[in-house]
Amino acid sequence: MHRRRVGLAAFDSRDQARRFNELSSALSKTQVDHLQGQLAQFRTALAHFAAEHRDDIRRDPTFRHAFQQMCASIGVDPLAGPRRAGWWAEMLGLGDWQYELGVQIVDVCVSTRDRNGGIIEISELVRMVTKLRGVQAGAVDEDDVMRSIKTLQPLGAGYQVIDIGGRKMVRSVFKELNDDQTSILVVAHDTGGRVVEEDLMKRKGWTRERAHLALENMYASDGLCWIDDQDEESGRSYWISAAIQWNE
Amino acid sequence: MHASTFTTTSGFLLPSVHSLPPFFTLQAACPPALAKFTDDWIKTILAYARHRQLFFLKVEDAETTGNEWDEVLKNERINRKLPPPFLEHIISTMVTRNLAVYEPAKQTRTVLLHWRLPQEWADTLHQWATDTGHLNTILTFYEITDPPVDSPLTGIPVPLLRHAIQELAKTNLAQIISIADGEGVRFFAPSGR
């Protein structure tokens, strides 16, 4: 059984605890001050960096990527948007830049939808966005476009980068491609857009029925291709719109 | 395949879609594609009509060769031609949009193209009469459709000319007059302005 300590010793121990507390808060205050100091320094450095390289970041894709890689390695997302990144995005203006690019991507996807069925090759998208932006806005490349498409995701518009036989395509409609359609897209890229049943039978080992059904579905239900009834070789050929390049 | 524009011998710039083989097939089972191609055809036809000052388009033009529409209704580079049923569909769409009228009425194989609206023709006509000093004199239709000096109205079909004059008559800028050998017109200056 312990007896409670009474008398002077008890005062000593309470006093000691209080002093430990004081010391501890003093220490953490120094640490916080130190941290704040570092942060302030970092901010100044960043502001300096932003002021100096802002234009380069916007104009030069290579520089932009080096910058983005640097950000990723220190765990900062410069595109996190005004709400999450606050002064960071504000200072670089990169968030706005990215959203602006997003709007241009939507513009191109929507305006070309009636000729590609809502599936566009990323290089074609880059080409058209670049044209839309004009010379002064600086170059953009596939990485930029993919990043912007990511920023579009919260809108739920269904913009997605899909891989079709090693080719990146951007899909701007809610339409799942089934395996057969994906195969047809791959073939279409090799043939330059024109696909006939024989192509699929030869390259994919499909039966004529399967090839016919897949192509007809792609045409009539999904609007992903057009038919040509004056084809000299096979009477009817299918033109996969996403595989056609438009020079205007 | 690269879809590219092409400049014809008459100097008309064909849109890139014209170099695409499926553009020459009526996409019957896919309404969005049919609508898109029909729109593209209408634009191309009207632009070409304006370029060559062509007023009439006949389904026959797609059935025969060697007519003034060859450059548009056919593409020899890819060996495709617009099938007559497709042209009929295009023509009827143009009529519903008032971009053409059946002329004569009560048939569906020939249209008079409205690459300028009758109101725009009316403005052109009045401008021409003013510029050439023909206000307040009586002109025969023939003098307008076949003037000694080529004008923007050279070759304008009489139905269209009459339509344009009727537009002008609404605002008292012209009046149709019966003359000895048919019809004539008198133009007036705008009054009170």
Side-chain angles (χ1 to χ4, degrees), chain A residues 114-115 191-194 216 219-232 237 239 243-248, chain B residues 1-5 16-17 20-33 36-37 78-83:
Chain A
D114 65 346
R115 71 180 193 199
T191 58
R194 175 184 173 276
E216 281 295 321
Y219 163 58
S221 332
D222 299 307
L224 290 173
C225 62
W226 299 307
I227 50 166
D228 171 22
D229 278 342
Q230 296 174 50
D231 195 280
E232 293 93 340
S237 61
W239 287 78
I244 297 168
Q245 296 217 352
W246 297 79
N247 301 344
E248 273 140 329
Chain B
M1 156 102 200
H2 291 258
S4 310
T5 55
S16 46
V17 72
L20 223 57
F23 190 49
F24 295 82
T25 294
L26 195 151
Q27 308 289 328
C30 185
K36 176 197 160 32
F37 282 170
I78 54 169
N79 195 23
R80 294 289 181 280
K81 51 187 186 198
L82 186 67

Tab-separated table of all heavy atoms in Angstrom, chain A residues 114-115 191-194 216 219-232 237 239 243-248, chain B residues 1-5 16-17 20-33 36-37 78-83:
chain	number	residue	atom	x	y	z
A	114	ASP	N	-19.047	14.680	-84.767
A	114	ASP	CA	-19.873	14.150	-85.854
A	114	ASP	C	-19.035	13.536	-86.965
A	114	ASP	O	-19.553	12.884	-87.856
A	114	ASP	CB	-20.838	15.215	-86.401
A	114	ASP	CG	-20.109	16.365	-87.057
A	114	ASP	OD1	-18.887	16.478	-86.858
A	114	ASP	OD2	-20.759	17.158	-87.750
A	115	ARG	N	-17.738	13.716	-86.913
A	115	ARG	CA	-16.951	13.054	-87.948
A	115	ARG	C	-16.033	11.973	-87.397
A	115	ARG	O	-15.390	11.267	-88.149
A	115	ARG	CB	-16.165	14.065	-88.769
A	115	ARG	CG	-15.024	14.708	-88.027
A	115	ARG	CD	-14.321	15.686	-88.947
A	115	ARG	NE	-13.057	16.091	-88.368
A	115	ARG	CZ	-12.403	17.173	-88.730
A	115	ARG	NH1	-12.893	17.948	-89.665
A	115	ARG	NH2	-11.257	17.475	-88.182
A	191	THR	N	-4.775	0.079	-91.804
A	191	THR	CA	-5.256	0.143	-93.184
A	191	THR	C	-5.559	1.577	-93.607
A	191	THR	O	-5.963	1.808	-94.738
A	191	THR	CB	-6.544	-0.685	-93.352
A	191	THR	OG1	-7.529	-0.169	-92.444
A	191	THR	CG2	-6.314	-2.150	-93.060
A	192	GLY	N	-5.410	2.519	-92.695
A	192	GLY	CA	-5.673	3.905	-93.049
A	192	GLY	C	-7.149	4.258	-92.996
A	192	GLY	O	-7.575	5.235	-93.596
A	193	GLY	N	-7.939	3.492	-92.299
A	193	GLY	CA	-9.344	3.839	-92.113
A	193	GLY	C	-10.312	2.875	-92.768
A	193	GLY	O	-11.381	2.599	-92.251
A	194	ARG	N	-9.921	2.338	-93.939
A	194	ARG	CA	-10.819	1.445	-94.666
A	194	ARG	C	-10.695	0.019	-94.130
A	194	ARG	O	-9.606	-0.549	-94.091
A	194	ARG	CB	-10.479	1.471	-96.152
A	194	ARG	CG	-11.272	0.475	-96.994
A	194	ARG	CD	-10.769	0.521	-98.444
A	194	ARG	NE	-11.374	-0.514	-99.265
A	194	ARG	CZ	-10.936	-1.771	-99.345
A	194	ARG	NH1	-9.891	-2.147	-98.614
A	194	ARG	NH2	-11.529	-2.637	-100.131
A	216	GLU	N	-21.161	-3.975	-88.887
A	216	GLU	CA	-22.492	-3.390	-89.031
A	216	GLU	C	-22.932	-2.694	-87.742
A	216	GLU	O	-23.525	-1.620	-87.776
A	216	GLU	CB	-23.509	-4.471	-89.434
A	216	GLU	CG	-23.470	-4.828	-90.918
A	216	GLU	CD	-23.890	-3.672	-91.839
A	216	GLU	OE1	-24.825	-2.935	-91.493
A	216	GLU	OE2	-23.247	-3.492	-92.896
A	219	TYR	N	-21.247	0.525	-87.284
A	219	TYR	CA	-21.812	1.530	-88.192
A	219	TYR	C	-23.184	2.012	-87.718
A	219	TYR	O	-23.376	3.186	-87.407
A	219	TYR	CB	-21.903	0.937	-89.600
A	219	TYR	CG	-22.805	1.687	-90.546
A	219	TYR	CD1	-22.580	3.038	-90.825
A	219	TYR	CD2	-23.885	1.061	-91.155
A	219	TYR	CE1	-23.418	3.725	-91.682
A	219	TYR	CE2	-24.720	1.746	-92.012
A	219	TYR	CZ	-24.493	3.078	-92.270
A	219	TYR	OH	-25.319	3.761	-93.111
A	220	ALA	N	-24.122	1.078	-87.615
A	220	ALA	CA	-25.503	1.484	-87.394
A	220	ALA	C	-25.801	1.842	-85.939
A	220	ALA	O	-26.522	2.800	-85.674
A	220	ALA	CB	-26.445	0.382	-87.866
A	221	SER	N	-25.235	1.097	-84.970
A	221	SER	CA	-25.601	1.397	-83.578
A	221	SER	C	-24.694	2.431	-82.940
A	221	SER	O	-25.135	3.212	-82.114
A	221	SER	CB	-25.557	0.132	-82.712
A	221	SER	OG	-25.808	-1.006	-83.463
A	222	ASP	N	-23.419	2.418	-83.309
A	222	ASP	CA	-22.497	3.282	-82.587
A	222	ASP	C	-22.046	4.505	-83.363
A	222	ASP	O	-21.467	5.412	-82.794
A	222	ASP	CB	-21.271	2.470	-82.155
A	222	ASP	CG	-21.649	1.328	-81.243
A	222	ASP	OD1	-22.322	1.606	-80.236
A	222	ASP	OD2	-21.309	0.175	-81.554
A	223	GLY	N	-22.286	4.506	-84.668
A	223	GLY	CA	-21.884	5.667	-85.463
A	223	GLY	C	-20.390	5.897	-85.455
A	223	GLY	O	-19.921	7.019	-85.536
A	224	LEU	N	-19.613	4.819	-85.327
A	224	LEU	CA	-18.163	4.972	-85.292
A	224	LEU	C	-17.533	4.803	-86.670
A	224	LEU	O	-16.333	4.944	-86.830
A	224	LEU	CB	-17.544	3.969	-84.323
A	224	LEU	CG	-17.836	4.234	-82.848
A	224	LEU	CD1	-17.322	3.096	-81.989
A	224	LEU	CD2	-17.228	5.549	-82.398
A	225	CYS	N	-18.338	4.437	-87.647
A	225	CYS	CA	-17.786	4.332	-88.997
A	225	CYS	C	-18.853	4.646	-90.039
A	225	CYS	O	-20.030	4.797	-89.710
A	225	CYS	CB	-17.180	2.946	-89.229
A	225	CYS	SG	-18.348	1.598	-89.118
A	226	TRP	N	-18.396	4.794	-91.263
A	226	TRP	CA	-19.301	5.054	-92.381
A	226	TRP	C	-19.151	3.918	-93.389
A	226	TRP	O	-18.114	3.263	-93.446
A	226	TRP	CB	-18.930	6.372	-93.068
A	226	TRP	CG	-19.015	7.558	-92.189
A	226	TRP	CD1	-20.090	7.937	-91.438
A	226	TRP	CD2	-17.997	8.549	-91.952
A	226	TRP	NE1	-19.801	9.101	-90.754
A	226	TRP	CE2	-18.539	9.489	-91.053
A	226	TRP	CE3	-16.695	8.732	-92.411
A	226	TRP	CZ2	-17.814	10.598	-90.611
A	226	TRP	CZ3	-15.980	9.831	-91.974
A	226	TRP	CH2	-16.543	10.753	-91.084
A	227	ILE	N	-20.174	3.731	-94.199
A	227	ILE	CA	-20.031	2.710	-95.225
A	227	ILE	C	-19.749	3.356	-96.581
A	227	ILE	O	-20.135	4.502	-96.840
A	227	ILE	CB	-21.296	1.825	-95.342
A	227	ILE	CG1	-22.555	2.698	-95.455
A	227	ILE	CG2	-21.398	0.877	-94.182
A	227	ILE	CD1	-23.770	1.919	-95.900
A	228	ASP	N	-19.065	2.605	-97.416
A	228	ASP	CA	-18.832	3.018	-98.794
A	228	ASP	C	-19.351	1.892	-99.678
A	228	ASP	O	-18.786	0.803	-99.715
A	228	ASP	CB	-17.329	3.241	-99.023
A	228	ASP	CG	-17.015	3.462	-100.502
A	228	ASP	OD1	-17.934	3.856	-101.251
A	228	ASP	OD2	-15.851	3.258	-100.890
A	229	ASP	N	-20.449	2.159	-100.359
A	229	ASP	CA	-21.070	1.122	-101.189
A	229	ASP	C	-20.531	1.097	-102.612
A	229	ASP	O	-21.030	0.372	-103.460
A	229	ASP	CB	-22.591	1.309	-101.209
A	229	ASP	CG	-23.239	0.696	-99.967
A	229	ASP	OD1	-22.586	-0.134	-99.313
A	229	ASP	OD2	-24.386	1.062	-99.650
A	230	GLN	N	-19.535	1.941	-102.885
A	230	GLN	CA	-18.973	1.929	-104.239
A	230	GLN	C	-17.562	1.342	-104.222
A	230	GLN	O	-16.756	1.605	-105.118
A	230	GLN	CB	-18.938	3.350	-104.814
A	230	GLN	CG	-20.330	3.953	-104.985
A	230	GLN	CD	-20.280	5.413	-105.430
A	230	GLN	OE1	-19.593	5.769	-106.381
A	230	GLN	NE2	-21.007	6.261	-104.732
A	231	ASP	N	-17.273	0.571	-103.201
A	231	ASP	CA	-15.941	-0.016	-103.086
A	231	ASP	C	-15.713	-1.011	-104.228
A	231	ASP	O	-16.482	-1.951	-104.411
A	231	ASP	CB	-15.798	-0.725	-101.741
A	231	ASP	CG	-14.353	-1.028	-101.408
A	231	ASP	OD1	-13.816	-2.030	-101.934
A	231	ASP	OD2	-13.762	-0.251	-100.652
A	232	GLU	N	-14.615	-0.798	-104.995
A	232	GLU	CA	-14.378	-1.611	-106.177
A	232	GLU	C	-14.098	-3.061	-105.828
A	232	GLU	O	-14.437	-3.976	-106.568
A	232	GLU	CB	-13.198	-1.056	-106.995
A	232	GLU	CG	-13.443	0.303	-107.625
A	232	GLU	CD	-12.965	1.433	-106.738
A	232	GLU	OE1	-12.802	1.204	-105.509
A	232	GLU	OE2	-12.760	2.542	-107.254
A	237	SER	N	-17.310	-1.280	-98.109
A	237	SER	CA	-16.223	-1.166	-97.141
A	237	SER	C	-16.677	-0.250	-96.022
A	237	SER	O	-17.647	0.502	-96.158
A	237	SER	CB	-14.958	-0.618	-97.810
A	237	SER	OG	-15.198	0.662	-98.325
A	239	TRP	N	-15.499	2.642	-93.204
A	239	TRP	CA	-14.460	3.634	-92.938
A	239	TRP	C	-14.549	4.058	-91.481
A	239	TRP	O	-15.522	4.677	-91.075
A	239	TRP	CB	-14.619	4.828	-93.874
A	239	TRP	CG	-14.199	4.470	-95.269
A	239	TRP	CD1	-14.909	3.758	-96.177
A	239	TRP	CD2	-12.945	4.769	-95.869
A	239	TRP	NE1	-14.171	3.586	-97.326
A	239	TRP	CE2	-12.974	4.205	-97.164
A	239	TRP	CE3	-11.797	5.463	-95.455
A	239	TRP	CZ2	-11.889	4.321	-98.038
A	239	TRP	CZ3	-10.735	5.583	-96.330
A	239	TRP	CH2	-10.783	5.009	-97.607
A	243	ALA	N	-9.913	6.819	-87.451
A	243	ALA	CA	-8.603	6.544	-88.044
A	243	ALA	C	-8.305	7.452	-89.240
A	243	ALA	O	-7.273	7.335	-89.872
A	243	ALA	CB	-8.527	5.085	-88.478
A	244	ILE	N	-9.231	8.362	-89.529
A	244	ILE	CA	-9.031	9.258	-90.677
A	244	ILE	C	-8.430	10.572	-90.198
A	244	ILE	O	-8.851	11.121	-89.193
A	244	ILE	CB	-10.377	9.511	-91.392
A	244	ILE	CG1	-10.915	8.196	-91.957
A	244	ILE	CG2	-10.208	10.546	-92.493
A	244	ILE	CD1	-12.349	8.288	-92.421
A	245	GLN	N	-7.421	11.016	-90.911
A	245	GLN	CA	-6.821	12.304	-90.552
A	245	GLN	C	-7.375	13.385	-91.459
A	245	GLN	O	-7.472	13.201	-92.660
A	245	GLN	CB	-5.310	12.230	-90.729
A	245	GLN	CG	-4.701	11.237	-89.775
A	245	GLN	CD	-3.366	11.704	-89.266
A	245	GLN	OE1	-2.817	12.699	-89.736
A	245	GLN	NE2	-2.826	11.006	-88.299
A	246	TRP	N	-7.713	14.482	-90.864
A	246	TRP	CA	-8.329	15.570	-91.625
A	246	TRP	C	-7.323	16.685	-91.833
A	246	TRP	O	-6.840	17.278	-90.876
A	246	TRP	CB	-9.553	16.102	-90.889
A	246	TRP	CG	-10.603	15.063	-90.745
A	246	TRP	CD1	-10.641	14.060	-89.835
A	246	TRP	CD2	-11.772	14.901	-91.567
A	246	TRP	NE1	-11.752	13.284	-90.036
A	246	TRP	CE2	-12.464	13.773	-91.084
A	246	TRP	CE3	-12.296	15.616	-92.655
A	246	TRP	CZ2	-13.659	13.344	-91.650
A	246	TRP	CZ3	-13.472	15.178	-93.211
A	246	TRP	CH2	-14.149	14.055	-92.715
A	247	ASN	N	-7.021	16.946	-93.081
A	247	ASN	CA	-6.159	18.099	-93.399
A	247	ASN	C	-7.042	19.222	-93.892
A	247	ASN	O	-7.693	19.070	-94.922
A	247	ASN	CB	-5.173	17.749	-94.523
A	247	ASN	CG	-4.289	16.586	-94.141
A	247	ASN	OD1	-4.194	16.241	-92.965
A	247	ASN	ND2	-3.661	15.988	-95.127
A	248	GLU	N	-7.067	20.291	-93.121
A	248	GLU	CA	-7.920	21.379	-93.610
A	248	GLU	C	-7.136	22.663	-93.740
A	248	GLU	O	-6.135	22.845	-93.105
A	248	GLU	CB	-9.103	21.602	-92.684
A	248	GLU	CG	-10.251	20.698	-93.047
A	248	GLU	CD	-10.943	20.161	-91.818
A	248	GLU	OE1	-10.285	19.981	-90.807
A	248	GLU	OE2	-12.141	19.890	-91.904
B	1	MET	N	-5.530	7.228	-94.004
B	1	MET	CA	-6.107	8.075	-95.057
B	1	MET	C	-6.150	9.517	-94.577
B	1	MET	O	-6.582	9.808	-93.461
B	1	MET	CB	-7.521	7.558	-95.359
B	1	MET	CG	-8.478	8.586	-95.964
B	1	MET	SD	-8.646	8.352	-97.719
B	1	MET	CE	-9.273	9.923	-98.245
B	2	HIS	N	-5.666	10.392	-95.425
B	2	HIS	CA	-5.755	11.807	-95.119
B	2	HIS	C	-6.869	12.415	-95.950
B	2	HIS	O	-6.835	12.356	-97.163
B	2	HIS	CB	-4.450	12.531	-95.457
B	2	HIS	CG	-3.332	12.149	-94.537
B	2	HIS	ND1	-2.922	12.950	-93.510
B	2	HIS	CD2	-2.567	11.040	-94.489
B	2	HIS	CE1	-1.941	12.343	-92.855
B	2	HIS	NE2	-1.707	11.186	-93.441
B	3	ALA	N	-7.863	12.958	-95.288
B	3	ALA	CA	-8.908	13.667	-96.010
B	3	ALA	C	-8.403	15.085	-96.285
B	3	ALA	O	-8.075	15.803	-95.351
B	3	ALA	CB	-10.175	13.695	-95.179
B	4	SER	N	-8.308	15.438	-97.561
B	4	SER	CA	-7.725	16.737	-97.890
B	4	SER	C	-8.620	17.534	-98.825
B	4	SER	O	-9.379	16.963	-99.602
B	4	SER	CB	-6.369	16.562	-98.573
B	4	SER	OG	-5.557	15.699	-97.825
B	5	THR	N	-8.470	18.823	-98.758
B	5	THR	CA	-9.197	19.692	-99.678
B	5	THR	C	-8.585	19.571	-101.070
B	5	THR	O	-7.468	19.083	-101.233
B	5	THR	CB	-9.109	21.158	-99.222
B	5	THR	OG1	-7.731	21.499	-99.094
B	5	THR	CG2	-9.801	21.353	-97.885
B	16	SER	N	-12.510	18.879	-97.496
B	16	SER	CA	-11.758	17.629	-97.352
B	16	SER	C	-12.677	16.402	-97.325
B	16	SER	O	-12.282	15.328	-97.765
B	16	SER	CB	-10.889	17.676	-96.099
B	16	SER	OG	-11.618	18.171	-95.012
B	17	VAL	N	-13.896	16.580	-96.834
B	17	VAL	CA	-14.802	15.431	-96.756
B	17	VAL	C	-15.094	14.865	-98.156
B	17	VAL	O	-15.383	13.683	-98.321
B	17	VAL	CB	-16.104	15.830	-96.003
B	17	VAL	CG1	-16.967	16.747	-96.843
B	17	VAL	CG2	-16.883	14.615	-95.562
B	20	LEU	N	-13.322	11.728	-99.356
B	20	LEU	CA	-13.575	10.514	-98.578
B	20	LEU	C	-14.591	9.629	-99.305
B	20	LEU	O	-15.715	10.054	-99.537
B	20	LEU	CB	-14.165	10.951	-97.246
B	20	LEU	CG	-13.704	10.305	-95.966
B	20	LEU	CD1	-12.215	10.421	-95.782
B	20	LEU	CD2	-14.455	10.928	-94.809
B	21	PRO	N	-14.236	8.375	-99.631
B	21	PRO	CA	-15.182	7.527	-100.372
B	21	PRO	C	-16.585	7.420	-99.744
B	21	PRO	O	-17.577	7.497	-100.464
B	21	PRO	CB	-14.467	6.181	-100.409
B	21	PRO	CG	-13.024	6.529	-100.350
B	21	PRO	CD	-12.929	7.734	-99.472
B	22	PRO	N	-16.716	7.258	-98.415
B	22	PRO	CA	-18.075	7.090	-97.868
B	22	PRO	C	-18.958	8.328	-98.014
B	22	PRO	O	-20.182	8.221	-97.844
B	22	PRO	CB	-17.836	6.765	-96.390
B	22	PRO	CG	-16.451	7.169	-96.103
B	22	PRO	CD	-15.690	7.068	-97.377
B	23	PHE	N	-18.358	9.465	-98.347
B	23	PHE	CA	-19.151	10.681	-98.558
B	23	PHE	C	-20.121	10.485	-99.727
B	23	PHE	O	-21.123	11.172	-99.836
B	23	PHE	CB	-18.197	11.853	-98.833
B	23	PHE	CG	-18.843	13.215	-98.845
B	23	PHE	CD1	-19.694	13.614	-97.825
B	23	PHE	CD2	-18.573	14.115	-99.870
B	23	PHE	CE1	-20.274	14.884	-97.818
B	23	PHE	CE2	-19.139	15.382	-99.883
B	23	PHE	CZ	-19.998	15.770	-98.860
B	24	PHE	N	-19.822	9.521	-100.584
B	24	PHE	CA	-20.639	9.286	-101.778
B	24	PHE	C	-21.621	8.124	-101.603
B	24	PHE	O	-22.117	7.591	-102.568
B	24	PHE	CB	-19.727	9.051	-102.992
B	24	PHE	CG	-18.922	10.275	-103.352
B	24	PHE	CD1	-17.748	10.590	-102.677
B	24	PHE	CD2	-19.369	11.147	-104.341
B	24	PHE	CE1	-17.032	11.732	-102.984
B	24	PHE	CE2	-18.653	12.293	-104.658
B	24	PHE	CZ	-17.478	12.588	-103.975
B	25	THR	N	-21.839	7.744	-100.340
B	25	THR	CA	-22.835	6.715	-100.055
B	25	THR	C	-23.890	7.288	-99.123
B	25	THR	O	-23.547	7.985	-98.166
B	25	THR	CB	-22.164	5.486	-99.391
B	25	THR	OG1	-21.289	4.874	-100.331
B	25	THR	CG2	-23.203	4.474	-98.934
B	26	LEU	N	-25.151	7.009	-99.424
B	26	LEU	CA	-26.231	7.448	-98.546
B	26	LEU	C	-26.196	6.587	-97.282
B	26	LEU	O	-26.451	5.391	-97.351
B	26	LEU	CB	-27.567	7.299	-99.285
B	26	LEU	CG	-28.794	8.005	-98.720
B	26	LEU	CD1	-29.764	8.346	-99.842
B	26	LEU	CD2	-29.518	7.193	-97.669
B	27	GLN	N	-25.859	7.189	-96.160
B	27	GLN	CA	-25.678	6.433	-94.914
B	27	GLN	C	-27.050	6.173	-94.285
B	27	GLN	O	-27.390	6.729	-93.240
B	27	GLN	CB	-24.779	7.216	-93.943
B	27	GLN	CG	-23.463	7.689	-94.543
B	27	GLN	CD	-22.482	6.550	-94.797
B	27	GLN	OE1	-22.468	5.562	-94.075
B	27	GLN	NE2	-21.651	6.679	-95.829
B	28	ALA	N	-27.798	5.285	-94.934
B	28	ALA	CA	-29.203	5.120	-94.579
B	28	ALA	C	-29.410	4.606	-93.159
B	28	ALA	O	-30.334	5.014	-92.474
B	28	ALA	CB	-29.875	4.182	-95.572
B	29	ALA	N	-28.535	3.698	-92.695
B	29	ALA	CA	-28.789	3.057	-91.407
B	29	ALA	C	-28.234	3.861	-90.233
B	29	ALA	O	-28.374	3.458	-89.092
B	29	ALA	CB	-28.201	1.655	-91.400
B	30	CYS	N	-27.571	4.961	-90.514
B	30	CYS	CA	-26.981	5.744	-89.428
B	30	CYS	C	-27.397	7.212	-89.569
B	30	CYS	O	-26.708	7.998	-90.218
B	30	CYS	CB	-25.464	5.591	-89.444
B	30	CYS	SG	-24.655	6.398	-88.073
B	31	PRO	N	-28.536	7.573	-88.985
B	31	PRO	CA	-29.074	8.922	-89.174
B	31	PRO	C	-28.108	10.070	-88.860
B	31	PRO	O	-28.077	11.042	-89.617
B	31	PRO	CB	-30.300	8.950	-88.244
B	31	PRO	CG	-30.695	7.521	-88.096
B	31	PRO	CD	-29.422	6.733	-88.155
B	32	PRO	N	-27.287	9.979	-87.780
B	32	PRO	CA	-26.378	11.101	-87.542
B	32	PRO	C	-25.387	11.295	-88.689
B	32	PRO	O	-25.081	12.424	-89.080
B	32	PRO	CB	-25.649	10.714	-86.256
B	32	PRO	CG	-26.475	9.673	-85.617
B	32	PRO	CD	-27.188	8.951	-86.723
B	33	ALA	N	-24.888	10.172	-89.226
B	33	ALA	CA	-23.929	10.266	-90.332
B	33	ALA	C	-24.613	10.809	-91.576
B	33	ALA	O	-24.059	11.649	-92.295
B	33	ALA	CB	-23.323	8.894	-90.616
B	36	LYS	N	-25.026	14.524	-91.154
B	36	LYS	CA	-23.774	15.261	-91.312
B	36	LYS	C	-23.382	15.379	-92.791
B	36	LYS	O	-23.063	16.449	-93.278
B	36	LYS	CB	-22.643	14.578	-90.548
B	36	LYS	CG	-21.301	15.280	-90.782
B	36	LYS	CD	-20.124	14.436	-90.411
B	36	LYS	CE	-18.825	14.905	-91.060
B	36	LYS	NZ	-18.660	16.315	-91.310
B	37	PHE	N	-23.429	14.241	-93.491
B	37	PHE	CA	-23.036	14.265	-94.900
B	37	PHE	C	-24.000	15.107	-95.732
B	37	PHE	O	-23.581	15.797	-96.664
B	37	PHE	CB	-22.931	12.846	-95.450
B	37	PHE	CG	-21.666	12.125	-95.042
B	37	PHE	CD1	-21.507	10.769	-95.276
B	37	PHE	CD2	-20.622	12.817	-94.444
B	37	PHE	CE1	-20.335	10.106	-94.917
B	37	PHE	CE2	-19.459	12.172	-94.074
B	37	PHE	CZ	-19.315	10.799	-94.304
B	78	ILE	N	-10.985	9.444	-106.755
B	78	ILE	CA	-11.254	8.219	-105.984
B	78	ILE	C	-12.324	7.368	-106.665
B	78	ILE	O	-12.791	6.379	-106.096
B	78	ILE	CB	-11.673	8.536	-104.530
B	78	ILE	CG1	-12.860	9.496	-104.508
B	78	ILE	CG2	-10.520	9.109	-103.732
B	78	ILE	CD1	-13.491	9.646	-103.136
B	79	ASN	N	-12.701	7.788	-107.878
B	79	ASN	CA	-13.677	7.028	-108.659
B	79	ASN	C	-15.014	6.838	-107.925
B	79	ASN	O	-15.520	5.725	-107.810
B	79	ASN	CB	-13.079	5.674	-109.055
B	79	ASN	CG	-13.887	5.006	-110.149
B	79	ASN	OD1	-14.603	5.688	-110.894
B	79	ASN	ND2	-13.782	3.688	-110.247
B	80	ARG	N	-15.545	7.919	-107.404
B	80	ARG	CA	-16.838	7.850	-106.731
B	80	ARG	C	-17.758	8.897	-107.348
B	80	ARG	O	-17.300	9.940	-107.815
B	80	ARG	CB	-16.700	8.165	-105.240
B	80	ARG	CG	-15.899	7.163	-104.437
B	80	ARG	CD	-16.646	5.862	-104.265
B	80	ARG	NE	-15.896	4.893	-103.468
B	80	ARG	CZ	-14.913	4.132	-103.927
B	80	ARG	NH1	-14.544	4.210	-105.194
B	80	ARG	NH2	-14.289	3.274	-103.124
B	81	LYS	N	-19.063	8.582	-107.359
B	81	LYS	CA	-20.022	9.600	-107.760
B	81	LYS	C	-21.246	9.555	-106.865
B	81	LYS	O	-21.549	8.514	-106.258
B	81	LYS	CB	-20.396	9.469	-109.225
B	81	LYS	CG	-20.814	8.092	-109.630
B	81	LYS	CD	-20.987	8.040	-111.139
B	81	LYS	CE	-21.553	6.676	-111.491
B	81	LYS	NZ	-21.401	6.306	-112.866
B	82	LEU	N	-21.899	10.693	-106.770
B	82	LEU	CA	-23.065	10.792	-105.903
B	82	LEU	C	-24.216	10.011	-106.530
B	82	LEU	O	-24.610	10.287	-107.657
B	82	LEU	CB	-23.440	12.267	-105.745
B	82	LEU	CG	-24.549	12.588	-104.753
B	82	LEU	CD1	-24.100	12.281	-103.341
B	82	LEU	CD2	-24.939	14.052	-104.858
B	83	PRO	N	-24.761	9.018	-105.811
B	83	PRO	CA	-25.870	8.253	-106.392
B	83	PRO	C	-27.125	9.135	-106.486
B	83	PRO	O	-27.396	9.907	-105.562
B	83	PRO	CB	-26.089	7.115	-105.384
B	83	PRO	CG	-24.975	7.203	-104.403
B	83	PRO	CD	-24.415	8.565	-104.469
